[in-house]
Amino acid sequence: MEIPVTYLQHLTMVMVQVGFAGLNVMSKLAMNTGMSPYVLVSYRQIIAFFFLFLLAFFFERNTWNKITKKVLFQIFITSTFGATMNQMLYFVGLKFTTPTIACALSNTLLAITFVMAVIFRTERVMINSVPGKAKVFGTFLCVGGSMLMTFYSGPIIRIPPSGIHWEYVESMSSGSETGIDNAQNMALGAVLVFLSCVAWAVWFIVEEKMGKAYNSLYTTTSIMCFFASIECVILTACMERSLSSWNLGLNIRLLTSLYMGIVNSGISFAAMAWCLQTRGPLYVSAFSPLLLVIVAIVGWAIMNEKIYVGSVLGALLIALGMYFVLWGQNKEKTFKKLGDEEIGGEIGLNSVSPCDDHHHYQQQPVEQ
């Protein structure tokens, strides 16, 4: 039985968020050992480049001669915003602020992407229609649910432990928490995390436009990681002067670098690029609040963290908001296709040469 493309896209984006949930746990453990966030991001890009280059060589090397200067420039922009700026700003911001605030601010990504997509006309909103209102309402629900999960706890929900409690992770996390009492540092960290979301949204917009001109996911993503690895290494060299900061060894640092490079920057970037090209920036960003729900589940399962009423209510709002956004987008897409078919029929009937004009219209791609 063949899986419909729409369901496959939904499953892909859910799995991407599951991968990012693992990133939160793994990167925290690595930085708790003293690993520099600059070094961590650099290794992530280097490993991702080699992983994706192998995939591009085996599956897409016949398309390499079609890369133009315009496409290369677009890839450079995506590497600067989507990889270097987004990741560096987030991890450095996380260092100056609390994980709670960083997680709350990162969930503004949906709203930022929504506004930028409308401004750059990659997403059309028929605000007077029911689907258009559903997309706007769903966006507010997702952001509101994220804030509720972050800032409101409420009573504890009594549920038994998962049975897969990982004491090593809990001891590493609890033993390395440090208080952040400098208000200036807190504000700086919050600004950096917010700017990382803006950079992430820019990547969504540029990646969708680039995909229409050059549709080779492994190739474009590997080149993006190549550019990003150079940028990150240069930045790290300026911030971390000691060569010992690059040491890995057979420990959590190596495991985290491999995980982030292969799963997060390798597989996830290519998967998101595919969904961006087929469904647009708003669709991809609509799944970002789901990360907070998955992190809460992983925290309960692995680190024996408590589940609160606020977490459950926030998760329900996020799920409902995602439904409204995806439903509204699908309905607007259906309306546009029906409108294009009606226009095509009118062209075929009213033109001087019906066969030629109708054939010409059929050759035009339907804008997604």
Side-chain angles (χ1 to χ4, degrees):
M1 181 178 178
E2 186 177 354
I3 302 177
V5 176
T6 301
Y7 293 155
L8 186 59
Q9 291 166 338
H10 294 348
L11 178 61
T12 298
M13 286 308 306
V14 170
M15 295 308 298
V16 166
Q17 298 307 318
V18 172
F20 283 141
L23 174 145
N24 281 2
V25 176
M26 301 290 289
S27 61
K28 183 173 180 61
L29 291 176
M31 287 190 290
N32 284 348
T33 65
M35 188 175 189
S36 167
Y38 300 102
V39 174
L40 183 60
V41 174
S42 298
Y43 274 127
R44 174 180 178 174
Q45 303 305 330
I46 294 171
I47 294 172
F49 163 67
F50 284 107
F51 173 74
L52 289 166
F53 177 79
L54 291 176
L55 294 180
F57 178 79
F58 285 110
F59 298 108
E60 297 176 348
R61 63 179 181 272
N62 293 329
T63 66
W64 288 356
N65 58 343
K66 299 179 182 179
I67 300 179
T68 63
K69 293 181 180 179
K70 180 181 179 180
V71 172
L72 279 176
F73 178 73
Q74 289 175 328
I75 296 175
F76 174 75
I77 296 298
T78 61
S79 70
T80 302
F81 284 92
T84 304
M85 290 182 61
N86 167 57
Q87 294 171 27
M88 287 292 188
L89 287 171
Y90 180 81
F91 282 106
V92 176
L94 183 61
K95 183 178 179 181
F96 286 106
T97 189
T98 64
T100 300
I101 295 177
C103 197
L105 289 172
S106 65
N107 281 288
T108 61
L109 175 63
L110 175 57
I112 296 172
T113 305
F114 183 81
V115 173
M116 293 186 64
V118 173
I119 293 175
F120 289 97
R121 298 183 179 181
T122 60
E123 186 74 31
R124 296 182 179 180
V125 180
M126 297 182 289
I127 194 63
N128 294 325
S129 67
V130 174
K133 293 177 181 178
K135 288 163 64 175
V136 175
F137 181 63
T139 300
F140 281 108
L141 280 181
C142 285
V143 176
S146 301
M147 297 300 178
L148 182 63
M149 287 188 69
T150 304
F151 294 113
Y152 174 73
S153 298
I156 297 177
I157 299 178
R158 304 295 179 181
I159 54 177
S162 64
I164 55 174
H165 178 48
W166 192 359
E167 294 183 357
Y168 169 74
V169 175
E170 184 183 17
S171 62
M172 286 284 292
S173 299
S174 61
S176 61
E177 293 293 335
T178 57
I180 302 176
D181 54 4
N182 190 319
Q184 186 176 1
N185 286 343
M186 291 280 287
L188 175 61
V191 171
L192 292 177
V193 172
F194 179 79
L195 291 177
S196 75
C197 294
V198 175
W200 197 224
V202 171
W203 179 74
F204 287 162
I205 304 298
V206 179
E207 178 68 33
E208 187 209 16
K209 292 182 177 295
M210 181 181 64
K212 294 178 181 179
Y214 187 79
N215 187 18
S216 295
L217 298 179
Y218 299 133
T219 299
T220 54
T221 312
S222 64
I223 298 175
M224 181 190 74
C225 291
F226 173 73
F227 286 151
S229 63
I230 296 176
E231 295 169 351
C232 290
V233 168
I234 293 175
L235 182 59
T236 303
C238 296
M239 303 302 296
E240 300 288 345
R241 301 300 178 88
S242 176
L243 292 178
S244 61
S245 61
W246 291 87
N247 293 339
L248 288 178
L250 297 176
N251 49 33
I252 191 64
R253 296 188 179 190
L254 175 61
L255 182 61
T256 301
S257 299
L258 290 173
Y259 179 87
M260 292 175 61
I262 296 175
V263 176
N264 299 128
S265 286
I267 299 174
S268 295
F269 268 53
M272 285 190 296
W274 174 61
C275 291
L276 280 168
Q277 295 171 16
T278 55
R279 297 298 297 268
L282 182 61
Y283 175 84
V284 175
S285 63
F287 287 85
S288 61
L290 187 62
L291 174 62
L292 195 56
V293 180
I294 299 173
V295 169
I297 296 174
V298 171
W300 161 76
I302 296 180
M303 294 181 285
N304 199 27
E305 293 182 351
K306 305 299 181 182
I307 299 295
Y308 297 90
V309 171
S311 299
V312 176
L313 293 177
L316 291 176
L317 287 178
I318 289 172
L320 188 62
M322 288 177 59
Y323 172 80
F324 276 112
V325 172
L326 299 179
W327 179 85
Q329 191 182 54
N330 286 333
K331 286 297 182 182
E332 286 189 346
K333 185 178 179 182
T334 302
F335 291 162
K336 184 169 190 312
K337 284 185 177 180
L338 292 175
D340 287 345
E341 289 175 1
E342 292 178 1
I343 294 173
E346 292 177 1
I347 292 177
L349 290 172
N350 298 330
S351 59
V352 177
S353 179
C355 296
D356 293 341
D357 285 348
H358 184 63
H359 174 74
H360 172 73
Y361 173 77
Q362 286 183 326
Q363 298 301 316
Q364 303 303 313
V366 178
E367 184 180 352
Q368 301 296 323

